């Protein structure tokens, strides 16, 4: 019999850990009604859960409009089946009454005046640091990085869907590739699909394929990225850029493990491992209704957060020497101690990618046996507005937007002396969004005073 979980369970952790995983099954949380906050866990050893006013139910509800054994949930394989037990007032999902239905994470079920929500059973993962300073082509001696290596080693052996979060330039695509290379799918294809670079009117065709004549220009049948990745891994880069109205199509593919080409009426089975990446805070996007909650849960079966380079400064000499060896073209090039100190002092907003580009230029511009860091690391001669033309367009644009946000919000809250309501009114933005920006850039002076 399933045991009632009295703890307050939330859909998303307030302080997001570096690594997390979803256990099989999930948690039913009462989000509306007299028993709000009560919850019960559905798991392999608690595969059947009853909801109702009877004390015999795993989740006993005090709602007078709920029948004694109103509803049951059963874990069958990886599916959760809900069955109404001939209740007096019925059970509803999205306003429709049902007798039996299969649900996914994020589903909200109404029984009487009570609403329960099905959420993943998330567990914080704290792996032991790997004994190695590398994982395939990835390098790092920092403790958090070596923890990442150990987790990747364990996860690669499974087919679990992985969500990689991290700033631009932290190596998310390399991580996805190494997951593939260390898996049993290593001999299959590794297909990269950048959700942020494909025009929205073409994204379904390029992801799922199309049949001849399905739209103007479709002169032949075409396989999509999912079909091309059959037997291997598909890497969905910049998943946070996918338009909200296109996300249900991706969710159906992840659930069914089958694709329907544009213009077709039939589904084709696919065998792929899905790895997704984003430089956005998808949890925040879910809260702002900018990303589907059920799709987030479906992607974040294993969730890893890649630390930025500024948080792993001890790794910089290791990475610098590795890049110098790679770009020296057979020459013996040295890094002077003062140059290494200067490199370590740099903030590296573009992370490892920026460091790699700078070292490549320093090697090409080398003088004698020393790399030329003076000409390679140009910190002062930036164009107007601080635009970085030495970075990819999207990355340079992102840095400029962040600089604008920080300076705008900092001046705004200073003038209004942290009166968020007045500041939000003047800026004509939502107060909650303003609070998120303040937290994002660490601009709350009260917290600084406490520290």
């Amino acid at each position: 019999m399933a045991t009632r979980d009295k703890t307050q369970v939330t859909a998303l952790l307030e302080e997001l850990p570096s690594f997390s995983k979803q256990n099989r099954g999930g948690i039913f949380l009462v989000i509306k009604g007299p028993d709000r906050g009560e919850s019960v866990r559905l798991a392999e050893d608690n595969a059947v859960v009853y909801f109702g006013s009877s004390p015999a139910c795993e989740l006993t509800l005090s709602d007078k409009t709920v029948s004694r054994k109103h509803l049951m949930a059963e874990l069958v394989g990886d599916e959760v089946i809900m069955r109404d037990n001939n209740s007096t007032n019925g059970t509803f999902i999205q306003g429709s009454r049902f007798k039996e239905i299969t649900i996914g994470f994020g589903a909200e079920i109404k029984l009487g005046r009570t609403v329960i929500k099905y959420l993943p059973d998330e567990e914080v993962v704290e792996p032991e640091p790997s004994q190695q300073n590398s994982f395939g082509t990835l390098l790092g001696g920092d403790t958090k990085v070596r923890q990442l290596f150990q987790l990747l080693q364990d996860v690669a052996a499974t087919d679990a869907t992985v969500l990689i979060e991290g700033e631009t330039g932290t190596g998310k695509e390399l991580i996805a590739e190494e997951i593939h290379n260390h898996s049993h799918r290593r001999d299959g294809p590794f297909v990269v699909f950048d959700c942020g670079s494909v025009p929205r009117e073409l994204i379904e065709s390029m992801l799922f394929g199309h049949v001849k004549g399905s739209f103007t220009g479709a002169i032949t049948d075409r396989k999509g990225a999912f079909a091309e990745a059959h037997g291997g891994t598909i890497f969905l880069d910049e998943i946070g850029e996918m338009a909200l109205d296109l996300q249900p199509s991706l969710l159906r593919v992840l659930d069914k493990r089958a694709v329907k080409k544009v213009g077709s009426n039939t589904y084709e089975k696919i065998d792929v491992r899905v790895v997704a990446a984003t430089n956005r805070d998808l949890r925040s996007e879910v809260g702002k209704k900018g990303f589907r909650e059920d799709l987030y849960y479906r992607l974040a079966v294993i969730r890893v957060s890649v630390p930025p380079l500024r948080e792993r400064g001890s790794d910089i000499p290791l990475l610098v020497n590795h890049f110098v060896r790679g770009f020296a073209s057979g020459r013996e090039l040295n890094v002077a101690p003062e140059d290494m100190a200067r490199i370590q002092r740099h903030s590296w907003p573009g992370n490892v990618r920026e460091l790699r580009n700078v070292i490549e230029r320093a090697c090409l511009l080398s003088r004698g046996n020393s790399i030329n860091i003076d000409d390679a690391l140009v910190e002062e001669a930036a164009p107007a507005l601080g635009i970085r033309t030495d970075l990819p367009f999207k990355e340079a644009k992102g840095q400029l937007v962040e600089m604008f946000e920080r300076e705008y919000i900092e001046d705004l809250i200073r003038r209004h002396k942290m009166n968020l309501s007045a500041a939000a009114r003047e800026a004509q933005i939502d107060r909650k969004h303003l609070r998120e920006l303040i937290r994002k850039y660490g601009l709350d002076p009260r917290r600084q005073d406490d520290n």
Side-chain angles (χ1 to χ4, degrees), residues 258-269:
V259 295
K260 184 173 73 170
K261 292 181 177 180
V262 176
S264 174
N265 294 319
T266 59
Y267 280 91
E268 299 175 14
K269 285 290 185 182

Side-chain angles (χ1 to χ4, degrees), residues 6-22:
K6 297 278 189 180
T7 59
Q8 180 75 21
V9 181
T10 53
L12 297 164
L13 299 165
E14 283 300 320
E15 295 296 331
L16 211 57
S18 296
F19 316 113
S20 63
K21 71 173 184 177
Q22 295 173 8

Side-chain angles (χ1 to χ4, degrees), residues 316-335:
I316 288 179
L318 175 69
L319 293 168
V320 167
N321 291 326
H322 171 73
F323 292 142
V324 168
R325 286 192 299 270
F327 294 125
S329 302
R331 295 174 295 161
E332 286 290 333
L333 290 181
N334 303 313
V335 183

Side-chain angles (χ1 to χ4, degrees), residues 67-296:
S67 300
R68 288 183 60 76
K69 279 201 169 182
H70 192 114
L71 176 70
M72 69 165 288
E74 183 178 8
L75 182 62
V76 181
D78 289 328
E79 293 187 335
V80 177
I81 301 173
M82 306 291 292
R83 297 188 184 93
D84 181 271
N85 293 321
N86 299 314
S87 64
T88 302
N89 292 315
T91 310
F92 299 80
I93 188 165
Q94 293 183 341
S96 299
R97 187 168 182 168
F98 69 87
K99 180 66 178 176
E100 181 175 310
I101 194 170
T102 300
I103 65 167
F105 293 132
E108 295 184 8
I109 302 99
K110 188 173 187 294
L111 53 163
R113 296 191 180 92
T114 295
V115 178
I116 58 176
K117 188 170 186 175
Y118 185 57
L119 302 168
D121 182 8
E122 292 182 313
E123 176 185 346
V124 176
V125 179
E126 288 288 346
E128 287 294 321
S130 170
Q131 297 301 308
Q132 306 298 320
N133 283 352
S134 64
F135 182 71
T137 57
L138 304 172
L139 290 178
D142 179 83
T143 300
K144 189 172 289 187
V145 174
R146 288 188 293 113
Q147 281 184 308
L148 172 64
F149 292 167
Q150 185 60 56
L151 180 63
L152 295 178
Q153 183 73 53
D154 297 339
V155 167
T158 74
D159 272 336
T161 303
V162 181
L163 176 63
I164 307 169
E165 298 180 331
E167 296 178 8
T168 300
T170 50
K172 298 186 289 295
E173 183 174 336
L174 282 177
I175 291 173
E177 194 166 358
E178 290 304 334
I179 291 175
H180 172 76
N181 292 338
H182 286 76
S183 73
H184 66 89
R185 297 174 176 270
R186 64 179 68 88
D187 295 326
F190 177 74
V191 176
V192 178
F193 186 87
D194 189 341
C195 301
S197 64
V198 179
R200 69 181 313 282
E201 62 271 15
L202 296 178
I203 196 166
E204 285 191 282
S205 169
M206 296 186 70
L207 265 180
F208 313 131
H210 63 250
V211 297
K212 180 181 178 180
S214 56
F215 55 86
T216 303
I219 57 176
T220 61
D221 287 0
R222 173 176 174 166
K223 292 172 67 175
F226 271 95
E228 291 174 353
H230 183 74
T233 303
I234 186 169
F235 174 53
L236 302 175
D237 198 11
E238 302 297 352
I239 189 66
E241 306 300 320
M242 179 175 279
L244 194 61
D245 59 333
L246 298 175
Q247 293 175 20
S249 299
L250 177 58
L251 181 63
R252 280 193 296 273
V253 173
L254 297 179
D255 286 339
K256 291 177 176 291
R257 293 292 162 171
V259 295
K260 184 173 73 170
K261 292 181 177 180
V262 176
S264 174
N265 294 319
T266 59
Y267 280 91
E268 299 175 14
K269 285 290 185 182
I270 52 167
D271 173 26
V272 296
R273 200 248 181 93
V274 178
V275 180
T278 180
N279 60 6
R280 292 193 180 198
D281 181 353
L282 285 193
R283 181 180 66 152
S284 174
E285 293 297 315
V286 168
K288 294 184 290 187
K289 307 298 183 186
F291 198 85
R292 286 182 64 107
E293 183 180 28
D294 47 4
L295 179 56
Y296 172 80

